[in-house]
Amino acid sequence: MRIGMMVDSYKPYTSGITNYVDINKRYLELAGHEVFVFTFGDVDYQDGELHVIRNHGMPLADTGFYLSTRYSRAAKQLLQTMDIVHVHHPFLSGRLALRYCRLLHIPIVYTNHTRYDLYAQAYLPMMPEEMSRGLLQAYMPSFCDAVQLVVAPSAGMEKVLRQLNVTSNIEVVPNGVDLKNFIEAKPLSRAEFGYKENDILLIYAGRIALEKNIPFLLKSFAGIAQAIPNAQLLLIGSGVQQYEEEIRTLVGEMELDQRVRLTGKIEYDKLPSYLAMCDVFVTASVTEVHPLSVIEAMGAGLPVMGIHSVGVGDTVVDGVTGLLATHDLSAFTAKLTRLCLDLDLRKKMGDSARKASSTYAIERTTNIMLKHYEKLVNDAQPRKSSWSVRLRKLLESVTQ
């Protein structure tokens, strides 16, 4: 099959969606399929990856996102030779998929990766919640009705979509993770970072962004640091420069400079060894849909401390693969303290977490998605009129 992945942003921008598309593209290609990524960004950017088609757009400061309402003519023609397209953002890429692909009866799959309701509250605080929710309830049902398959990465996300009045058929398919490197990871040397062997290392890996609730995490760790002198916190990742600077400033204001280390962005292939060096994965985010960073940490054998919410709550089993608390600072800190102080509990939960991570193995999830792709492509064939078939063949010849 020729499979088109449509995303609003792609490399060098780093996010869970970017990682998901990258990993799935590689495994689909290993299975013998042609996979093309259609996105916006710097059209001159090169990293050696084949079949990535970038289109001009207006950059949104240093967020890594670009605004545009169209693809180039060549990109549009190439997109229209796909057997199926998979959309990962509903607004820009999603509308283009409907505009360019429906006429030719090319099946469209949409995966909802993001809690847009919570993102609106985080980034548009002046907009009343009722208004942002109303806009989503007006947009999402009709968009989902227009595609052939809606995918939710977790059961919790399916419920959120239903609350937004989406009535379309929804399949729950977890986002896959390439777990091999995480399961087999060798830990980095603690001494190289100035840590001691008996230090309790807490680690967060992900974007340093407003919606990740990092100030809450720092406030909790401040309490941990007072009670447990050998506890350390490692924050891995980058984000919008201004917000990164705000977090660094906050660490200084809280007098945690000697206990909290921000590494900035690291190479992804080094992440497994960072995780393996640590004792507990921590996250205070409540906006996740299917937290790849949590699953990666579980694959590396770390118990997870998180908040009861969609995504994290769907992935972590409280008391088995980690601990979950309410979005209350005292409750979160109390549970995290317990995890820090109980070595046997950490080891037991870490072992359970590694075993549970196999549910999200990329080999398994890719096979599930491929079955959906194949069914949609087969179902679409009888609906293709002779003129649309001829048009596709013409487009193929133009782009060869």
Side-chain angles (χ1 to χ4, degrees):
M1 283 186 291
R2 290 166 64 86
I3 303 167
M5 297 284 185
M6 299 179 66
V7 288
D8 290 357
S9 62
Y10 196 58
K11 303 172 190 175
Y13 178 74
T14 301
S15 71
I17 297 177
T18 299
N19 290 340
Y20 168 81
V21 172
D22 176 35
I23 294 168
N24 276 267
K25 179 175 182 287
R26 286 190 277 116
Y27 271 80
L28 288 167
E29 287 170 341
L30 286 173
H33 304 282
E34 288 186 279
V35 185
F36 298 78
V37 175
F38 296 85
T39 188
F40 305 103
D42 181 359
V43 295
D44 295 321
Y45 175 79
Q46 296 289 335
D47 61 5
E49 182 177 355
L50 297 177
H51 301 325
V52 177
I53 296 86
R54 293 179 172 83
N55 294 268
H56 288 287
M58 181 177 69
L60 293 179
D62 63 343
T63 63
F65 281 85
Y66 293 74
L67 282 179
S68 181
T69 58
R70 57 176 295 180
Y71 284 167
S72 68
R73 180 180 179 184
K76 172 186 173 182
Q77 290 176 338
L78 181 61
L79 178 69
Q80 291 176 325
T81 70
M82 298 296 113
D83 294 304
I84 191 166
V85 296
H86 192 154
V87 175
H88 301 278
H89 294 97
F91 304 112
L92 299 182
S93 297
R95 299 314 300 182
L96 290 178
L98 298 183
R99 186 195 308 174
Y100 294 150
C101 299
R102 279 199 297 181
L103 180 65
L104 297 178
H105 300 293
I106 300 171
I108 303 170
V109 177
Y110 164 60
T111 294
N112 193 107
H113 296 278
T114 305
R115 287 291 305 271
Y116 292 106
D117 53 335
L118 298 184
Y119 270 51
Q121 294 173 33
Y123 288 100
L124 300 171
M126 301 303 293
M127 179 182 289
E129 181 180 343
E130 294 80 7
M131 181 179 295
S132 61
R133 190 172 188 83
L135 291 173
L136 287 170
Q137 288 176 329
Y139 181 84
M140 294 302 289
S142 61
F143 174 74
C144 290
D145 282 343
V147 305
Q148 280 62 57
L149 177 64
V150 178
V151 175
S154 65
M157 190 63 241
E158 180 185 10
K159 293 179 182 178
V160 171
L161 288 172
R162 295 304 185 202
Q163 291 167 2
L164 293 176
N165 298 332
V166 173
T167 59
S168 312
N169 178 50
I170 300 174
E171 294 286 344
V172 177
V173 182
N175 291 341
V177 178
D178 191 350
L179 290 169
K180 183 176 183 292
N181 291 337
F182 292 91
I183 293 172
E184 299 176 354
K186 303 297 182 184
L188 296 173
S189 168
R190 290 188 170 202
E192 291 183 7
F193 293 85
Y195 296 133
K196 299 176 182 178
E197 286 305 314
N198 68 335
D199 282 345
I200 300 169
L201 298 187
L202 312 181
I203 183 171
Y204 162 86
R207 282 186 301 116
I208 307 299
L210 182 63
E211 72 275 7
K212 299 301 182 180
N213 205 17
I214 293 173
F216 180 98
L217 187 59
L218 291 174
K219 291 175 184 177
S220 176
F221 181 73
I224 297 290
Q226 288 183 346
I228 307 174
N230 63 330
Q232 304 280 348
L233 175 61
L234 188 60
L235 300 177
I236 294 179
S238 63
V240 176
Q241 184 177 356
Q242 180 181 348
Y243 189 71
E244 278 192 61
E245 292 173 355
E246 290 177 7
I247 293 299
R248 292 181 187 276
T249 299
L250 181 59
V251 169
E253 292 174 349
M254 298 176 73
E255 299 182 350
L256 292 173
D257 305 73
Q258 303 303 311
R259 308 290 291 277
V260 177
R261 181 192 299 263
L262 286 88
T263 68
K265 184 178 180 179
I266 66 169
E267 294 180 21
Y268 183 69
D269 60 3
K270 294 182 179 179
L271 178 60
S273 293
Y274 273 89
L275 291 169
M277 176 179 68
C278 298
D279 299 295
V280 180
F281 185 87
V282 291
T283 177
S285 175
V286 295
T287 63
E288 307 296 336
V289 170
H290 188 69
L292 296 182
S293 59
V294 168
I295 297 166
E296 291 165 348
M298 291 169 60
L302 296 189
V304 178
M305 180 69 225
I307 292 176
H308 279 291
S309 58
V310 172
V312 174
D314 289 309
T315 308
V316 179
V317 179
D318 187 29
V320 179
T321 58
L323 295 176
L324 298 173
T326 59
H327 197 191
D328 174 83
L329 187 61
S330 297
F332 185 93
T333 304
K335 283 203 166 187
L336 181 54
T337 301
R338 178 191 172 196
L339 202 51
C340 288
L341 295 176
D342 195 331
L343 174 60
D344 291 337
L345 181 64
R346 293 203 304 270
K347 288 184 175 180
K348 181 179 179 181
M349 288 185 171
D351 289 340
S352 297
R354 179 177 278 119
K355 293 175 183 176
S357 69
S358 63
T359 300
Y360 309 100
I362 186 67
E363 298 86 352
R364 174 178 179 271
T365 59
T366 298
N367 285 334
I368 294 173
M369 191 60 73
L370 266 175
K371 290 178 181 177
H372 287 301
Y373 287 169
E374 290 165 354
K375 182 179 186 304
L376 290 171
V377 171
N378 289 335
D379 289 348
Q381 294 302 325
R383 294 201 302 271
K384 295 182 185 295
S385 62
S386 59
W387 71 265
S388 67
V389 172
R390 290 197 300 271
L391 180 57
R392 284 193 65 189
K393 288 182 178 179
L394 175 62
L395 291 171
E396 289 176 3
S397 66
V398 170
T399 56
Q400 286 177 351

